[in-house]
């Protein structure tokens, strides 16, 4: 299993540009989520999904959209990038059995100039 | 907001036990205590979790007080590779909707020194 994969690893955007951060998992997990981490801070939840076709907002959803058309993929779209969205973005997935352990991807480092 | 309180930083000598405390005085009866760690800038990694009994796995031990208002993560023989930020999180077991979400605080930065 590849686990949770994220692309790209690094991205630089200009203010106002849009882009999609990709996240995929091959563990057939129902639950997926997106977090952002600013320097010196803990992770903050942006959006999450408890299954295909179901998404909901987390703590800091403004400026981001998500969709979940398949179990495997959970892309995060930045609609109009702003410097305040400069951050490291982590995707995570979990099943609903056992430890409910969340598996995190390696992150995407985004800079908005 | 995070429901836990942790010291911002701790040091530990290599080979010694690292004891990381966490206060969660408002924990509910159906909430578990989870520990994750984040090494450098990698994605967080699950360590262990428990409800009210002490737990041990190949990575660590988790000691939860009888009143469940605090807990301690123990790394029995810390190595330099255990240098990381450790997050203590309380969360219900699986339910519906937002109950699966992890709410991260700032964690404890553990520095293991030679």
């Amino acid at each position: 299993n590849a686990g949770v994969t994220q692309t790209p690893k690094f991205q630089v955007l200009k203010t106002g540009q849009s882009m999609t951060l990709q996240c995929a998992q091959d563990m057939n997990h129902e639950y997926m989520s997106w977090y952002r981490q600013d320097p010196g801070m803990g992770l903050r939840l942006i959006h999450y999904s408890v299954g295909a076709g179901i998404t909901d907002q987390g703590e800091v959803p403004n400026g981001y959209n998500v969709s979940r058309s398949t179990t495997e993929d959970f892309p995060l779209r930045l609609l109009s990038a702003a410097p305040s969205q400069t951050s490291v973005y982590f995707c995570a997935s979990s099943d609903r059995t056992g430890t409910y352990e969340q598996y995190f991807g390696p992150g995407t480092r985004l800079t908005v100039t | 907001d995070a429901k836990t309180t942790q010291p911002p930083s701790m040091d530990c000598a290599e080979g010694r036990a690292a004891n990381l405390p966490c206060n969660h005085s408002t924990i509910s009866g159906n909430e578990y205590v989870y520990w994750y760690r984040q090494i450098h800038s990698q994605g967080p990694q699950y360590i262990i979790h428990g409800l009210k009994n002490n737990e041990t796995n190949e990575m660590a031990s988790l000691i939860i007080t009888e009143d469940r208002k605090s807990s301690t993560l123990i790394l029995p023989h810390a190595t330099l590779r255990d240098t990381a930020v450790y997050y203590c999180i309380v969360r219900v077991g699986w339910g519906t909707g937002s109950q699966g979400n992890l709410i991260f605080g700032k964690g404890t930065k553990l520095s293991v020194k030679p």
Side-chain angles (χ1 to χ4, degrees):
Chain A
N1 288 351
V4 179
T5 57
Q6 293 184 238
T7 55
K9 285 187 169 52
F10 301 93
Q11 182 71 47
V12 179
L13 289 179
K14 294 187 187 304
T15 297
Q17 288 184 317
S18 62
M19 79 159 295
T20 299
L21 307 185
Q22 301 292 344
C23 174
Q25 52 90 11
D26 61 359
M27 297 173 281
N28 200 33
H29 285 168
E30 293 179 297
Y31 178 91
M32 296 186 74
S33 56
W34 276 102
Y35 294 86
R36 62 177 286 175
Q37 185 173 34
D38 300 326
M41 303 290 289
L43 283 73
R44 291 185 292 169
L45 183 67
I46 305 172
H47 284 284
Y48 66 98
S49 168
V50 298
I54 306 169
T55 64
D56 207 344
Q57 297 180 351
E59 181 186 2
V60 288
N62 292 342
Y64 307 94
N65 272 356
V66 292
S67 60
R68 185 94 179 272
S69 56
T70 67
T71 299
E72 294 78 18
D73 301 299
F74 191 42
L76 178 72
R77 281 183 288 277
L78 278 71
L79 308 173
S80 177
S84 60
Q85 294 179 305
T86 293
S87 191
V88 181
Y89 291 84
F90 291 101
C91 179
S93 75
S94 172
D95 65 17
R96 296 194 184 194
T97 61
T99 66
Y100 316 131
E101 170 186 353
Q102 288 203 19
Y103 294 82
F104 285 80
T108 293
R109 191 173 297 272
L110 176 68
T111 301
V112 183
T113 61
Chain B
D1 290 347
K3 297 183 179 181
T4 62
T5 304
Q6 299 177 254
S9 64
M10 294 182 63
D11 289 341
C12 178
E14 188 178 19
R16 304 298 293 269
N19 297 283
L20 291 91
C22 179
N23 285 323
H24 31 80
S25 57
T26 61
I27 192 170
S28 300
N30 63 346
E31 287 182 317
Y32 290 72
V33 180
Y34 280 77
W35 284 84
Y36 282 75
R37 73 179 182 183
Q38 187 174 27
I39 296 174
H40 195 42
S41 299
Q42 299 175 22
Q45 175 191 24
Y46 166 84
I47 301 172
I48 198 168
H49 80 288
L51 183 63
K52 48 186 172 183
N53 297 325
N54 297 338
E55 302 287 345
T56 296
N57 63 20
E58 65 278 4
M59 289 182 68
S61 295
L62 174 60
I63 309 298
I64 302 174
T65 58
E66 192 167 343
D67 64 7
R68 303 209 323 123
K69 293 186 177 181
S70 65
S71 60
T72 301
L73 179 75
I74 301 172
L75 308 178
H77 305 287
T79 71
L80 298 179
R81 288 177 294 180
D82 291 321
T83 292
V85 178
Y86 287 77
Y87 297 100
C88 171
I89 301 166
V90 297
R91 198 197 84 178
V92 297
W94 205 262
T96 57
S98 65
Q99 291 176 320
N101 296 339
L102 296 175
I103 306 300
F104 287 83
K106 294 188 179 180
T108 296
K109 181 173 174 54
L110 175 69
S111 298
V112 180
K113 300 183 184 299

